[in-house]
Amino acid sequence: MDWDDLRYFLAVARAAGLTPAANELGVSPATVSRRIDAFEQAMSMTLFLRRQTGYTLTNDGETLLAAALPVEQAMLGFERRSQDAGGSGAWSGSVRVATSETIASHWITPMLPGFVRDHPGLQVELVTGVNTVNLSRRDADIALRMSPPAREEEGEYIALRAAAMTFAAYIAAADAQAQAQRDWRSLPYVNWSEPLAHVPMARWADGMFPDKSPVLLTNSMPVMIAAAEAGLGLTVLPESIGAKIPSLVRVDAVCARELWLVYHRDLRDNQRVAAMRDFLLEVVRRWETALIS
């Protein structure tokens, strides 16, 4: 048994199918199927039941999964600690940052030119999305997100409170003039769809408009911004974005969500991650200062 066999096994066990496992591994589903078949033959046991709905672990598969997870953590920990071994230097290689699309495009990217100029040998990769990445599995090196590590993970990660992202309700300037003598709650509104229907911004909108449905549901902040600019209805946006759009008028404060900078403890001495950590802290500090001023 070798580590590569376990990587394929773990990917299929987590994804419960060939195609999503292949996407994670960066290979074809046929390659994953061939590797799993060969692994089962070498182990002389059936690890998965093949069904139309996907791959399900057998009892032997469940037993192997329990044994493989600690091996995975040990191997990934070794890889993290050895990232800078061999004299690779502080500013060579890459650093992968996980965050929301909004923070990546509106906060981080505009300030990246100075960072890459100061660190010419360092490649930055921005991983965006609504799902929280797994830092233990190296989905990213460092994350700027709206949630700290879970209580059971606290000893595994370093988590720094970076800032607070404030949200407010905005309407189109034309609507603001037309509604001058009426309550803005009579306007239509835009809200978050699954899997973000539980976030404070979505709950606020539902509470403000209990008797009517939103005219648009979306899980995309760029769509939210476009809807607000188009005058589709009241929309909740980060103040750092809404305040910069001349065609919008702020009508109410909504909430503030804490931003957390999170990375694995094994990377606390990694110079690339340290450089990115300091850069991200400077990014959020500048945005907070701009909003206050």
Side-chain angles (χ1 to χ4, degrees):
M1 186 187 302
D2 63 32
W3 170 229
D4 214 37
D5 290 332
L6 287 180
R7 283 199 313 117
Y8 278 80
F9 167 75
L10 287 167
V12 176
R14 289 191 178 102
L18 296 179
T19 299
N23 292 335
E24 176 187 333
L25 294 165
V27 297
S28 69
T31 298
V32 178
S33 177
R34 186 170 58 253
R35 291 293 298 266
I36 292 297
D37 290 345
F39 186 39
E40 288 183 323
Q41 186 174 359
M43 295 287 292
S44 299
M45 59 179 64
T46 301
L47 301 173
F48 296 98
L49 296 176
R50 279 74 165 169
R51 294 174 172 153
Q52 288 186 338
T53 55
Y55 276 44
T56 304
L57 286 168
T58 63
N59 289 339
D60 286 336
E62 293 280 2
T63 301
L64 180 59
L65 178 63
L69 289 173
V71 176
E72 178 189 41
Q73 292 306 309
M75 291 298 297
L76 293 176
F78 177 78
E79 290 176 3
R80 286 190 295 267
R81 289 188 294 272
S82 63
Q83 271 191 330
D84 287 326
S88 60
W91 314 129
S92 62
S94 65
V95 60
R96 186 180 300 170
V97 183
T99 192
S100 71
E101 187 174 6
T102 304
I103 293 173
S105 58
H106 291 272
W107 289 26
I108 297 175
T109 303
M111 293 180 62
L112 267 180
F115 180 81
V116 298
R117 184 175 58 249
D118 293 340
H119 310 99
L122 185 58
Q123 180 188 66
V124 178
E125 181 179 353
L126 289 175
V127 180
T128 63
V130 298
N131 296 321
T132 301
V133 302
N134 190 310
L135 296 175
S136 293
R137 295 207 305 268
R138 296 286 304 282
D139 292 344
D141 298 309
I142 188 168
L144 182 60
R145 65 196 195 193
M146 293 185 188
S147 60
R151 184 176 299 275
E152 61 271 17
E153 299 174 328
E154 288 178 352
E156 191 175 352
Y157 298 106
I158 295 172
L160 306 173
R161 183 195 173 279
M165 177 180 275
T166 58
F167 290 81
Y170 291 88
I171 61 176
D175 285 334
Q177 295 173 2
Q179 294 290 320
Q181 303 303 319
R182 294 184 293 168
D183 190 344
W184 50 261
R185 293 171 183 81
S186 63
L187 290 169
Y189 75 104
V190 177
N191 207 2
W192 292 101
S193 61
E194 295 292 347
L196 297 174
H198 66 284
V199 298
M201 301 84 74
R203 294 201 303 269
W204 179 91
D206 287 336
M208 284 293 171
F209 302 93
D211 299 324
K212 60 182 176 182
S213 299
V215 295
L216 172 67
L217 289 171
T218 178
N219 65 351
S220 166
M221 180 60 74
V223 172
M224 282 276 194
I225 297 169
E229 291 182 300
L232 196 57
L234 179 140
T235 311
V236 177
L237 302 175
E239 289 195 84
S240 60
I241 295 174
K244 293 181 177 294
I245 302 176
S247 61
L248 298 182
V249 174
R250 182 184 184 277
V251 295
D252 201 6
V254 174
C255 66
R257 300 197 66 188
E258 290 188 333
L259 286 175
W260 293 85
L261 199 59
V262 184
Y263 56 100
H264 202 281
R265 287 191 179 277
D266 288 345
L267 296 178
R268 61 185 178 275
D269 297 323
N270 183 287
Q271 297 180 60
R272 296 190 289 267
V273 173
M276 180 53 68
R277 175 200 62 205
D278 295 343
F279 167 70
L280 293 176
L281 290 173
E282 175 64 14
V283 166
V284 296
R285 186 194 67 80
R286 289 196 185 184
W287 274 108
E288 278 194 316
T289 302
L291 283 175
I292 293 172
S293 59

